[in-house]
Amino acid sequence: MKPSRFATLLASGAASALFAVPPVHADEGMWTFDNFPAAKVNAEYGTDINQAWLDHVRGAAVRLSVGCSASTVSDYGLVLTNNHCVVGCAQNLSSSDDDYYTHGYTANGLSEERKCPGMNGEILMSISDVTNRVTAAGAGKSGSDLVKARNAVTSRIEEENCGDDPKWRCQVVNLYHGGQYKLYKYRRYSDVRLVFSPGVQTAFFGGDPDNFNFPRYDLDSAFVRLYENGKPVATPDHLVWNPAPPKAGEPVFVAGNPGGTDRQLTVSQLETQRDLTLPITALQLSELRGRLIRFSEESAEHKRIAQDLLFGLQNSYKVYFGRLFALKDESFMAKKQAEQTALRQKVAALGPKLPKDFGTPWQTIDTAQSSVKAMYLPYRFVEGGPMGSELFGYARELVRAAAEREKPSADRLPGYADADLPRLQKSLFDEVPVHADLEEVTLEFWLSKAREYLTADSPETKLLLGKESPESLAARLATSKLGDPAVRKALYDGGMAAIKASDDPMIQYALRIDPEARKLRSAWEEQVSGPLTTASEKIAKARFLALGDSIYPDATFTLRLSYGKIAGWTYRGTEVPPFTHFAGLYERATGHEPYKLDPRWIAAKDKLDLSTIFDISTTNDIIGGNSGSPLINAKGEAIGTVFDGNIHSLGGNYGYDAKLNRTVAVSAAAINEALRKVYGADAIADELTGKHKPS
Amino acid sequence: MKPSRFATLLASGAASALFAVPPVHADEGMWTFDNFPAAKVNAEYGTDINQAWLDHVRGAAVRLSVGCSASTVSDYGLVLTNNHCVVGCAQNLSSSDDDYYTHGYTANGLSEERKCPGMNGEILMSISDVTNRVTAAGAGKSGSDLVKARNAVTSRIEEENCGDDPKWRCQVVNLYHGGQYKLYKYRRYSDVRLVFSPGVQTAFFGGDPDNFNFPRYDLDSAFVRLYENGKPVATPDHLVWNPAPPKAGEPVFVAGNPGGTDRQLTVSQLETQRDLTLPITALQLSELRGRLIRFSEESAEHKRIAQDLLFGLQNSYKVYFGRLFALKDESFMAKKQAEQTALRQKVAALGPKLPKDFGTPWQTIDTAQSSVKAMYLPYRFVEGGPMGSELFGYARELVRAAAEREKPSADRLPGYADADLPRLQKSLFDEVPVHADLEEVTLEFWLSKAREYLTADSPETKLLLGKESPESLAARLATSKLGDPAVRKALYDGGMAAIKASDDPMIQYALRIDPEARKLRSAWEEQVSGPLTTASEKIAKARFLALGDSIYPDATFTLRLSYGKIAGWTYRGTEVPPFTHFAGLYERATGHEPYKLDPRWIAAKDKLDLSTIFDISTTNDIIGGNSGSPLINAKGEAIGTVFDGNIHSLGGNYGYDAKLNRTVAVSAAAINEALRKVYGADAIADELTGKHKPS
């Protein structure tokens, strides 16, 4: 359940929110580390969570740039995460001869640990409040001007605190939809190497059909290692590894980076998702999925090159499908409406305590929804660009970087300030294989859908297609040489002059459509993001006045801690137990993908303890982005890694249902048993228990 | 906009209805020929529609078994319809060497006219009322028993009036959702031959992107001929062909067979469509479309064999997409709710005039929606079967025919009574090419979606898949020999003994899943169709009591007449004129599919009168199934053939909007000009004007 590269498309329609009025439910919440309800949790679970515990866990929690979470688990920078968080890396390191995505990878010593292109790891070191400075910078401004002023002050704060030192990353985080702005300062590691992946047959046994289901039999775990100067890094902190069998009912914690939730959106914003953005997105993911499934069936090589993209796409499809049907539930929407009405009444009762310029923020948000409806399709296709095309992504970045770098740092688009350039350069210059065949599929799909949704006669379609067809244009653009990092570096270093002089078809294409894309972006800021920023901040502040701040903010892909216990659930009279065991894997196997066992597991069956606890269901409140998070016991030890939610958790984007929402993790016990008896990776297992120093 | 083979899947959720309360709008209505509002129309349009006019038009209107409409237009059984109504025939007559689907077909004399496999033509000869007999047969029954009793009386009436003479077809038609049952008696022609098709580049210029759009530049017309005993048939009536330029504002009529509308459904039924059946259907069509698009791109042969299926699928997708967004319009749903409330108040005011057993039919319909929600997915996948698989269709028919023919005629499932067997045999025995590659795609898709939607662990998935995967099972089923008509005939003739003894994998598969499919069908009758039949009839009768009968029934793929005028429309300030001309075709061409001109049109450009009126927009109220209907002037002459609606007409399933809904037709003038100057088909053009007898 990693947040795919497509999630950003949808997020654009969901830029603002307000807070739920009713009290937080048992085990609900993705809490910031500076506002964790430790007293409440300790009282409820008999735990002893204190500042030292929190600092220790925070210092071991890693955010991966692929949209995942992770944790350090050894003295030598070893990092535990999910297999599905490293499959992109495995894919990028693979060739027709060595398909690490499918067969996995076990490094035999440090010399075999291989750098994951483009991957960063970040550890949060401090949080400080910058609300007043951010808010002041936009005072008196609105629309696009407000968005620009906020971007500028954000860049300045980040630069002042981290400069352009690639070892640090500063990020101003918007919490409570503008209720707070906090500066998160991270220690950054830009050399992350693949140590161990079990391979997809075992990590994703049951494949798409079993995704978001439980009982589950997946070893969705992997290890990477943080390096600096060519050597493993001893990070300041790490979790103790505990492969003992976990117990039903024991309290557990998840420290990770939930990607985003929409629990505090207004009803009108949810309706926009239900009636516009979710159906359009799901329908398009569905067709692209169909094209890629057939593409994958054409040859082993097509299967190999499409597998990572197809996995992400199917995962996203299921997420959006779940969200769509969660919002179609009338009783759920009625509850949201009641919550909103109650909040508005409480806020109205504040009377003169409200700021004088409070105005009618809910109405502003409702009005902005009409703008979303009017602008969504052109914005999505022209500014959003194609789903899954690396070539277009590079071209867009290069064209924009060239234009933006000609401006003062604070005036640039987000992501192009001086402090952002090291990360941008890494993502542009790291070598990643690009496959023209696959590019052609994604580009043709994008162009044909643009024509379908915008109609053949729209100015945007004419801009995107010119006199060409989606098929012919996609074929032409796929001949781009931007797959070569040297070409990208030369274009980046050469700036706008090099861009303009380039005869690369994708560069020229991105350059040609950029003015219109920027225009749509500005219009979106003017009519959507800007008004939503202002209105949401007003609601957030009024809410703090009315209700206090003992509540958690919507998820923002920043570090959060959730609490709960190991537990199954009961649905329509059927009780689902909280554990699965290795034995169940062998029972579920059919010999056909995706229920086909890895030959290594068939060979190891007799050696394995088949009663080993495999996967775990817990009550923790998580969402996409939490993938790879450590599952932590009361002592602060790693007892597993979180890789999924159950099917009921798909509605978790909008609210937590204590009875049904469940987190799914793979146990440290299972990982330990598999490392030793299936993969012959005793060195890793021994490093985890402190008995081995890697060399 | 022919109703595709997929439409039936959706229609299953929409089996009942009630009537709109407000007065019919100008030009609204798909009127039966025994209840046409001639006086109103004559008053409004200054026309002289009388019984003779109506009889003449009825006698020339043809219903084609491919789900289309048509009309006789010569003394020798020549029939005008759409090209997209004969592309299935063209596809079936094609081979890798002769692709008539793409390049069209022009028969040079009768000897070159080629029989369309499986196609029938039917001309309506009489309508009689059988309401009392049908209603009485179900008295005191409910649920599945009611459905069975109704099926039995329907079969008996049809057999008594037409026997099993293949020259006649009798059909008991449910009008006003049970308000009336009428016996429609047709003269049936089972030898229909292809005379002329312009080819898809010209008939469907603009392809899917321009489908349901206007201005339009499509020669979507074709001719077939009715034969009996190897000779052209002189039908009792035919329309005079008038290729003179039509005039804006002139009154026009459309006689054809609108496939189905849902204008009289209750609000709860519309909500079920909006929230369940439409999104699920659209999402699945979307993915299958993606798979087939990629399949088509793999080779010229794949493109050729998939083109008819892909066309139908894309067309259906657009239809369902349009319906989905029509129902998402809150003001539209509010109007529907207000209409329903008004009707219920009027009915309540009837008091003692209502039958004693009136009960609470609206509530019954609401309750049945819960059953739809609970049963839809298993019913759809197991009883509905795969979209687009010919092999499964044959196997299902053969297995059911064998089982049903062992029962008395009146006890059989609909479609298997003695009177139905000639049509069933024709559809089973006519030779139609079956492509294993394409079958594998559709079967694999069906099985993988069944597993996805029903989950891997459901009993239905286990029934459908056994121990196999969707991929392996689809590959195995696609080896079936049912593509061979001789194999099908032997199995049909051999009855259940032959079916059970067959080692054909698809026969054995259909046989294995049939008990569960029948069980789901019975449960659906018990909890959905049965209750809806009873409740809808009650509402229908109460409505006649409250409001009289000056209203048209929902469409049922039976003959209707709609009236209107030639007119464009205005949308968001833009005026769309009612005509396009040949010149516009050349201007719109880009050289890339689907905007690529047929070489014959490039060659003929200088000879053509480029000011010829090409396509026409009219205010007539039509829907899918009306494709191929003649566009008729006040004198009863054919001045074109209807082939589409504009984009606003997609919501026409639920209501007619006089300002925006438009019918799109190709003019007789354009057909005449093209026949003579592009296709060298003077013989056909001369036959149309009575100057040539075909030989």
Side-chain angles (χ1 to χ4, degrees):
Chain A
M1 54 189 298
K2 73 174 173 176
S4 80
R5 59 194 91 182
F6 317 125
T8 47
L9 271 171
L10 194 76
S12 59
S16 180
L18 62 94
F19 314 109
V21 173
V24 165
H25 297 97
D27 302 353
E28 177 175 347
M30 303 167 181
W31 301 89
T32 54
F33 271 72
D34 58 356
N35 193 32
F36 185 76
K40 177 175 180 281
V41 172
N42 289 336
E44 194 173 329
Y45 282 104
T47 49
D48 186 22
I49 308 305
N50 53 32
Q51 194 57 46
W53 191 102
L54 292 170
D55 288 345
H56 170 59
V57 167
R58 176 191 48 68
V62 180
R63 180 169 75 168
L64 296 178
S65 54
V66 290
C68 277
S69 300
S71 57
T72 51
V73 284
S74 90
D75 288 327
Y76 312 101
L78 191 66
V79 168
L80 169 69
T81 186
N82 291 156
N83 187 69
H84 79 263
C85 296
V86 305
V87 287
C89 168
Q91 176 90 348
N92 290 336
L93 296 175
S94 294
S95 65
S96 325
D97 298 327
D98 294 306
D99 180 1
Y100 304 128
Y101 184 102
T102 301
H103 305 299
Y105 187 77
T106 307
N108 193 6
L110 296 178
S111 64
E112 288 186 11
E113 297 182 0
R114 296 185 57 185
K115 194 169 173 175
C116 286
M119 197 186 282
N120 295 310
E122 294 168 336
I123 296 177
L124 179 61
M125 305 307 283
S126 69
I127 302 176
S128 52
D129 195 316
V130 294
T131 308
N132 290 342
R133 189 170 167 197
V134 171
T135 311
K141 293 193 165 65
S142 66
S144 186
D145 287 345
L146 173 65
V147 173
K148 286 192 176 72
R150 288 293 173 78
N151 291 342
V153 74
T154 295
S155 291
R156 269 196 301 274
I157 294 170
E158 291 171 359
E159 267 177 52
E160 285 167 17
N161 285 276
C162 284
D164 55 3
D165 184 346
K167 287 192 175 175
W168 293 94
R169 173 156 186 210
C170 282
Q171 192 177 22
V172 172
V173 179
N174 175 340
L175 297 167
Y176 303 99
H177 300 275
Q180 293 177 352
Y181 292 88
K182 297 263 172 120
L183 175 65
Y184 277 47
K185 187 168 181 177
Y186 299 88
R187 181 68 166 81
R188 184 168 170 273
Y189 301 90
S190 55
D191 182 350
V192 180
R193 302 193 188 177
L194 183 61
V195 177
F196 170 76
S197 155
V200 79
Q201 273 181 325
T202 307
F204 199 44
F205 180 82
D208 181 65
D210 277 5
N211 198 10
F212 295 105
N213 283 335
F214 194 85
R216 194 74 170 280
Y217 307 88
D218 286 5
L219 194 80
D220 195 350
S221 58
F223 293 97
V224 292
R225 195 186 300 279
L226 307 179
Y227 279 72
E228 256 172 359
N229 306 315
K231 288 184 184 150
V233 167
T235 55
D237 225 327
H238 70 84
L239 300 180
V240 169
W241 175 255
N242 184 348
K247 293 189 181 60
E250 76 169 293
V252 281
F253 301 83
V254 174
N257 302 275
T261 50
D262 292 332
R263 295 182 182 178
Q264 294 156 359
L265 297 194
T266 66
V267 170
S268 65
Q269 288 177 301
L270 294 179
E271 286 170 347
T272 299
Q273 288 198 19
R274 182 193 63 192
D275 297 336
L276 179 68
T277 58
L278 283 173
I280 297 285
T281 304
L283 286 167
Q284 292 195 25
L285 285 173
S286 196
E287 184 183 332
L288 181 54
R289 176 190 189 189
R291 292 187 185 214
L292 283 177
I293 286 172
R294 181 67 201 178
F295 176 87
S296 299
E297 292 174 341
E298 287 163 359
S299 67
E301 182 62 359
H302 276 192
K303 182 182 175 184
R304 189 187 73 74
I305 65 178
Q307 57 199 358
D308 184 40
L309 180 60
L310 183 56
F311 161 72
L313 217 139
Q314 300 205 118
N315 191 62
S316 295
Y317 173 75
K318 219 159 182 174
V319 167
Y320 293 142
F321 185 89
R323 290 183 186 177
L324 186 57
F325 281 80
L327 292 183
K328 282 180 183 300
D329 179 339
E330 282 185 19
S331 64
F332 178 79
M333 285 297 270
K335 201 172 131 247
K336 283 284 178 186
Q337 182 65 63
E339 287 175 16
Q340 177 166 316
T341 303
L343 175 62
R344 292 185 67 164
Q345 283 166 352
K346 286 196 191 229
V347 168
L350 291 171
K353 284 188 208 156
L354 280 173
K356 278 191 186 153
D357 65 345
F358 187 67
T360 54
W362 280 278
Q363 214 168 302
T364 304
I365 290 174
D366 294 351
T367 304
Q369 302 314 303
S370 312
S371 302
V372 173
K373 286 188 187 81
M375 300 163 64
Y376 178 67
L377 288 174
Y379 180 79
R380 176 186 176 112
F381 283 106
V382 182
E383 169 65 7
M387 295 192 278
S389 165
E390 305 291 341
L391 291 173
F392 181 88
Y394 285 134
R396 168 66 65 82
E397 293 275 45
L398 288 166
V399 164
R400 292 217 167 148
E404 295 301 308
R405 282 184 299 148
E406 293 181 348
K407 306 173 188 170
S409 180
D411 292 353
R412 299 177 195 159
L413 288 177
Y416 298 94
D418 285 336
D420 299 316
L421 296 183
R423 271 176 303 117
L424 178 65
Q425 289 164 10
K426 181 170 167 60
S427 77
L428 282 173
F429 302 162
D430 272 11
E431 176 152 13
V432 163
V434 170
H435 306 286
D437 280 7
L438 187 59
E439 286 288 326
E440 206 174 320
V441 174
T442 56
L443 291 165
E444 179 189 314
F445 175 74
W446 169 54
L447 294 165
S448 70
K449 291 306 103 175
R451 182 177 65 186
E452 177 173 325
Y453 280 86
L454 301 169
T455 79
D457 298 304
S458 78
E460 293 87 3
T461 302
K462 286 179 178 165
L463 171 76
L464 291 175
L465 284 181
K467 284 274 174 193
E468 292 176 273
S469 68
E471 295 77 15
S472 64
L473 178 55
R476 192 167 68 76
L477 295 176
T479 65
S480 164
K481 300 291 173 235
L482 294 180
D484 180 349
V487 171
R488 300 195 294 268
K489 186 157 192 320
L491 285 165
Y492 182 87
D493 292 343
M496 191 46 91
I499 294 287
K500 285 189 174 161
S502 167
D503 61 359
D504 188 89
M506 189 60 99
I507 285 289
Q508 286 310 314
Y509 186 76
L511 194 60
R512 184 166 70 74
I513 72 170
D514 206 46
E516 182 62 22
R518 285 172 179 264
K519 209 183 289 175
L520 287 163
R521 186 187 175 104
S522 288
W524 188 270
E525 289 173 355
E526 185 68 26
Q527 293 171 53
V528 181
S529 331
L532 290 180
T533 299
T534 314
S536 304
E537 283 181 5
K538 284 180 178 172
I539 295 173
K541 279 167 190 153
R543 194 203 157 280
F544 283 134
L545 284 173
L547 302 169
D549 66 350
S550 61
I551 198 135
Y552 62 96
D554 254 328
T556 49
F557 198 49
T558 51
L559 193 64
R560 304 294 177 88
L561 185 62
S562 86
Y563 63 94
K565 62 174 181 288
I566 293 179
W569 71 96
T570 301
Y571 183 62
R572 292 188 181 166
T574 303
E575 200 181 319
V576 181
F579 296 126
T580 61
H581 303 85
F582 276 171
L585 171 72
Y586 292 95
E587 288 158 19
R588 195 166 180 76
T590 65
H592 292 285
E593 279 190 11
Y595 299 98
K596 191 173 180 176
L597 291 172
D598 184 319
R600 291 170 291 188
W601 281 75
I602 297 174
K605 187 178 179 188
D606 292 343
K607 284 181 284 179
L608 283 168
D609 176 357
L610 295 180
S611 70
T612 303
I613 288 177
F614 200 166
D615 292 340
I616 310 172
S617 160
T618 82
T619 64
N620 297 73
D621 187 8
I622 61 156
I623 203 150
N626 267 116
S627 281
S629 299
L631 186 71
I632 301 169
N633 67 12
K635 289 191 276 182
E637 298 164 336
I639 63 166
T641 175
V642 164
F643 70 94
D644 208 356
N646 68 351
I647 197 80
H648 306 289
S649 75
L650 289 173
N653 190 50
Y654 306 108
Y656 173 83
D657 180 344
K659 280 189 193 149
L660 294 174
N661 279 33
R662 292 295 178 268
T663 285
V664 175
V666 54
S667 75
I671 297 169
N672 182 63
E673 180 82 356
L675 283 174
R676 293 190 186 279
K677 299 190 185 163
V678 180
Y679 298 97
D682 288 301
I684 301 169
D686 287 341
E687 182 184 345
L688 288 164
T689 47
K691 289 182 202 149
H692 173 78
K693 179 180 174 177
S695 58
Chain B
M1 50 190 300
K2 73 173 173 177
S4 79
R5 60 194 91 182
F6 316 125
T8 48
L9 271 172
L10 194 77
S12 59
S16 181
L18 63 94
F19 315 107
V21 173
V24 164
H25 297 98
D27 301 353
E28 178 175 349
M30 303 167 183
W31 301 90
T32 54
F33 271 73
D34 58 356
N35 192 33
F36 186 75
K40 177 174 178 283
V41 172
N42 289 336
E44 194 174 327
Y45 281 105
T47 48
D48 186 21
I49 308 306
N50 52 32
Q51 195 57 46
W53 192 101
L54 292 169
D55 289 345
H56 170 60
V57 167
R58 176 191 48 68
V62 180
R63 180 168 75 168
L64 295 177
S65 54
V66 290
C68 276
S69 301
S71 57
T72 51
V73 284
S74 90
D75 288 327
Y76 312 101
L78 192 66
V79 168
L80 168 69
T81 186
N82 291 157
N83 186 70
H84 79 263
C85 297
V86 304
V87 287
C89 168
Q91 176 89 349
N92 289 336
L93 296 175
S94 293
S95 64
S96 326
D97 297 328
D98 293 307
D99 180 1
Y100 304 129
Y101 184 103
T102 301
H103 305 299
Y105 186 77
T106 308
N108 193 7
L110 297 179
S111 63
E112 288 185 10
E113 296 182 1
R114 296 186 57 186
K115 194 169 174 176
C116 286
M119 197 186 281
N120 296 311
E122 295 168 335
I123 295 178
L124 179 61
M125 304 306 284
S126 68
I127 301 176
S128 52
D129 196 317
V130 294
T131 307
N132 290 341
R133 189 169 166 197
V134 171
T135 310
K141 294 194 164 66
S142 67
S144 186
D145 288 343
L146 173 67
V147 173
K148 287 191 175 71
R150 288 293 173 79
N151 290 342
V153 73
T154 295
S155 291
R156 269 196 302 274
I157 295 170
E158 291 171 1
E159 268 177 52
E160 285 166 17
N161 285 277
C162 284
D164 55 3
D165 183 347
K167 285 192 175 174
W168 292 94
R169 173 160 185 205
C170 282
Q171 191 177 22
V172 172
V173 179
N174 175 339
L175 296 168
Y176 302 99
H177 300 275
Q180 293 177 354
Y181 293 89
K182 299 262 173 121
L183 175 65
Y184 276 47
K185 187 168 181 176
Y186 299 88
R187 181 69 167 81
R188 185 167 168 273
Y189 302 90
S190 56
D191 183 351
V192 181
R193 302 193 188 177
L194 183 62
V195 177
F196 171 76
S197 155
V200 79
Q201 274 182 323
T202 307
F204 199 44
F205 180 83
D208 181 65
D210 277 5
N211 197 10
F212 295 104
N213 282 336
F214 194 85
R216 194 75 168 279
Y217 306 88
D218 286 5
L219 195 78
D220 194 350
S221 58
F223 293 97
V224 291
R225 195 186 301 278
L226 307 179
Y227 278 72
E228 257 172 359
N229 305 316
K231 286 183 185 150
V233 166
T235 55
D237 225 327
H238 70 84
L239 300 180
V240 168
W241 176 255
N242 184 349
K247 293 189 180 60
E250 75 168 294
V252 281
F253 301 83
V254 174
N257 301 275
T261 50
D262 293 332
R263 295 182 183 178
Q264 295 156 358
L265 297 193
T266 67
V267 170
S268 65
Q269 288 177 302
L270 295 178
E271 286 170 347
T272 300
Q273 288 198 18
R274 182 193 64 192
D275 297 336
L276 178 68
T277 57
L278 284 173
I280 297 284
T281 304
L283 286 167
Q284 292 195 25
L285 286 173
S286 195
E287 184 184 331
L288 181 54
R289 177 190 188 189
R291 293 187 185 214
L292 284 177
I293 286 172
R294 181 66 201 179
F295 176 86
S296 299
E297 291 174 341
E298 288 163 358
S299 68
E301 182 63 359
H302 276 192
K303 182 181 175 185
R304 189 186 73 74
I305 67 177
Q307 57 199 357
D308 184 40
L309 180 59
L310 184 55
F311 162 71
L313 217 140
Q314 300 205 119
N315 191 62
S316 294
Y317 173 76
K318 218 159 183 173
V319 167
Y320 294 141
F321 185 89
R323 289 184 186 177
L324 186 57
F325 282 81
L327 292 183
K328 282 179 184 300
D329 180 340
E330 282 185 21
S331 64
F332 179 78
M333 285 297 270
K335 201 173 132 246
K336 283 283 178 187
Q337 182 65 62
E339 287 175 17
Q340 177 166 315
T341 305
L343 175 61
R344 292 186 68 163
Q345 284 166 351
K346 285 195 192 229
V347 168
L350 290 172
K353 284 189 209 155
L354 280 174
K356 278 190 186 151
D357 66 346
F358 188 68
T360 54
W362 279 278
Q363 214 169 299
T364 303
I365 291 174
D366 293 352
T367 304
Q369 302 315 302
S370 311
S371 302
V372 172
K373 285 188 186 81
M375 299 163 65
Y376 178 67
L377 288 174
Y379 180 79
R380 176 186 176 112
F381 283 107
V382 182
E383 169 65 8
M387 297 191 277
S389 165
E390 304 291 340
L391 290 173
F392 181 88
Y394 285 134
R396 168 65 65 81
E397 292 277 44
L398 287 167
V399 164
R400 292 218 165 147
E404 296 302 309
R405 282 184 300 148
E406 294 183 349
K407 305 174 187 169
S409 180
D411 292 353
R412 298 177 195 160
L413 288 176
Y416 297 95
D418 285 336
D420 298 318
L421 296 183
R423 270 175 303 118
L424 178 65
Q425 288 163 12
K426 182 172 167 61
S427 78
L428 282 173
F429 303 162
D430 272 12
E431 176 152 13
V432 162
V434 170
H435 307 286
D437 280 7
L438 187 60
E439 286 287 327
E440 206 174 321
V441 174
T442 56
L443 290 165
E444 179 188 315
F445 175 75
W446 169 54
L447 294 166
S448 70
K449 289 308 103 175
R451 182 176 65 185
E452 178 173 325
Y453 280 85
L454 301 170
T455 79
D457 298 304
S458 78
E460 292 87 4
T461 301
K462 287 178 178 165
L463 172 76
L464 291 175
L465 284 181
K467 285 273 175 195
E468 292 176 273
S469 68
E471 295 77 15
S472 63
L473 178 55
R476 192 167 68 76
L477 295 177
T479 65
S480 164
K481 300 293 174 233
L482 294 180
D484 179 349
V487 171
R488 301 195 295 268
K489 187 157 191 323
L491 285 165
Y492 182 87
D493 292 343
M496 190 47 92
I499 294 288
K500 285 188 174 162
S502 168
D503 61 358
D504 189 88
M506 189 61 98
I507 285 288
Q508 286 309 315
Y509 186 76
L511 194 60
R512 185 165 71 73
I513 72 170
D514 207 45
E516 182 62 23
R518 284 173 179 264
K519 208 183 290 175
L520 288 163
R521 186 187 175 104
S522 288
W524 188 270
E525 288 174 355
E526 185 68 25
Q527 294 171 51
V528 181
S529 331
L532 290 181
T533 299
T534 314
S536 304
E537 282 181 6
K538 285 181 178 172
I539 295 174
K541 278 167 192 153
R543 193 204 158 279
F544 282 134
L545 284 173
L547 302 169
D549 66 350
S550 63
I551 199 135
Y552 61 97
D554 253 329
T556 49
F557 198 49
T558 51
L559 193 64
R560 305 293 177 89
L561 186 62
S562 86
Y563 64 93
K565 60 176 183 285
I566 292 178
W569 72 96
T570 301
Y571 183 63
R572 292 187 181 166
T574 302
E575 201 180 320
V576 181
F579 296 125
T580 62
H581 302 85
F582 277 171
L585 171 72
Y586 293 95
E587 287 158 18
R588 195 165 179 77
T590 65
H592 292 285
E593 280 190 9
Y595 299 99
K596 192 173 179 176
L597 290 172
D598 184 318
R600 290 171 291 189
W601 281 76
I602 296 173
K605 185 177 178 187
D606 292 343
K607 284 183 283 178
L608 284 168
D609 176 357
L610 295 180
S611 71
T612 303
I613 289 178
F614 200 166
D615 293 339
I616 309 173
S617 159
T618 82
T619 63
N620 297 72
D621 188 7
I622 61 156
I623 204 150
N626 266 117
S627 280
S629 300
L631 186 71
I632 301 169
N633 68 11
K635 288 192 274 182
E637 298 165 335
I639 63 166
T641 175
V642 164
F643 70 94
D644 208 357
N646 67 353
I647 198 79
H648 307 289
S649 75
L650 289 173
N653 189 51
Y654 307 108
Y656 174 82
D657 180 344
K659 281 189 192 148
L660 293 174
N661 278 33
R662 292 295 178 268
T663 285
V664 175
V666 53
S667 75
I671 298 168
N672 182 64
E673 181 81 358
L675 284 174
R676 294 190 185 278
K677 298 190 184 163
V678 180
Y679 297 96
D682 288 302
I684 301 169
D686 286 342
E687 181 183 345
L688 287 164
T689 47
K691 289 183 202 146
H692 173 76
K693 178 181 175 176
S695 58

